[in-house]
Amino acid sequence: MKKTLIIFSVVFLASCSSKLIRPSQSDVDKGATKFSGLSLAELNEGRAMCKQKCTQCHPAKSPSSRNEDEWRKIVPQMAAKAMKKKNKKKISDADQEIILKYLITMSEAHKK
């Protein structure tokens, strides 16, 4: 029983984080048309912030699950909700911008 629970937990956690696509240089090149000076490090930071901050309240969402307008509306709303939760860290405006750059770039680079 204990082994089953451990295996289930590992599979569940892996499936959540796999929705957050690891960015590549080609993603940076595509995203740089929208975000001047965009770097691979910045996209990786946005991905890490999504894993760290967004998944405190809900499972990770695939960036391609929303378009730019939807992400620009949702991210500030989620940041505001996170502020109201006990023991949750604030998501600053700068953090929101990095998260948005990641989500928007990856949603456009990996449309379904």
Side-chain angles (χ1 to χ4, degrees):
M1 179 67 180
K2 191 174 183 180
K3 277 186 176 180
T4 305
L5 182 59
I6 292 170
I7 291 170
F8 175 77
S9 298
V10 169
V11 169
F12 176 75
L13 291 173
S15 69
C16 287
S17 63
S18 67
K19 291 180 180 183
L20 296 174
I21 305 161
R22 184 175 307 280
S24 67
Q25 187 58 46
S26 70
D27 297 319
V28 174
D29 296 341
K30 291 173 187 173
T33 61
K34 185 174 293 285
F35 303 108
S36 179
L38 186 66
S39 69
L40 184 56
E42 195 170 23
L43 287 181
N44 278 317
E45 185 179 2
R47 180 177 184 260
M49 282 188 185
C50 286
K51 285 172 108 173
Q52 176 192 17
K53 296 179 184 281
C54 302
T55 60
Q56 287 183 13
C57 298
H58 57 78
K61 304 288 185 200
S62 171
S64 62
S65 68
R66 309 278 192 288
N67 64 35
E68 179 177 357
D69 292 336
E70 292 168 322
W71 283 125
R72 287 196 181 276
K73 183 177 179 184
I74 291 168
V75 169
Q77 290 174 345
M78 294 295 104
K81 280 186 179 182
M83 287 290 296
K84 294 177 185 176
K85 300 254 182 183
K86 271 189 169 179
N87 301 321
K88 302 295 179 193
K89 293 185 179 179
K90 179 182 178 187
I91 302 173
S92 70
D93 290 344
D95 291 347
Q96 287 181 58
E97 189 60 29
I98 291 169
I99 290 168
L100 277 169
K101 285 180 180 180
Y102 168 75
L103 292 171
I104 291 167
T105 298
M106 301 308 285
S107 72
E108 293 181 357
H110 298 274
K111 287 181 181 174
K112 290 182 181 180

